[in-house]
Amino acid sequence: MRKVKILVSGRVQGVYFRLFTQNKAKHFAIKGSAKNLPDGRVEIIAEAEKLAIEKFIKWCHKGPITARVDHVEITELQHDELLTSFDIT
């Protein structure tokens, strides 16, 4: 298992980025969350098998057609608690 924090910047708020992210996370069986940050970025917490996380991160660099992704920052997190769903907060 791998757990990461993904910070996505660009035109990612007001374009259904979090909803598309939730749908893609469900497709890859990823647990976690997505939320808007006050600075205009979206923060994603994602936990899954390594290959699924890699595919998800690749998608995050592109995002949905409604968005424009300028930068993606990945931070590895401790796998301390098992997440059970993917939520939009």
Side-chain angles (χ1 to χ4, degrees):
M1 292 293 271
R2 183 177 175 198
K3 187 174 184 180
V4 295
K5 176 170 69 173
I6 306 166
L7 294 174
V8 185
S9 60
R11 191 181 71 223
V12 294
Q13 291 190 12
V15 294
Y16 299 100
F17 191 92
R18 292 175 300 152
L19 180 62
F20 281 101
T21 300
Q22 183 182 47
N23 291 337
K24 192 57 72 170
K26 288 179 180 179
H27 174 77
F28 289 127
I30 290 172
K31 308 299 183 200
S33 63
K35 71 177 181 178
N36 286 337
L37 297 178
D39 64 5
R41 296 181 296 171
V42 170
E43 177 188 83
I44 303 163
I45 303 297
E47 178 182 75
E49 295 299 326
K50 184 178 177 181
L51 183 58
I53 291 288
E54 289 171 4
K55 290 179 180 180
F56 184 68
I57 290 171
K58 184 176 179 180
W59 178 85
C60 287
H61 279 86
K62 185 174 48 170
I65 196 162
T66 56
R68 185 195 74 243
V69 174
D70 293 336
H71 183 72
V72 176
E73 180 182 330
I74 311 296
T75 305
E76 297 291 329
L77 299 176
Q78 292 293 326
H79 181 70
D80 50 359
E81 65 180 72
L82 188 61
L83 303 174
T84 59
S85 63
F86 193 95
D87 302 312
I88 295 175
T89 58

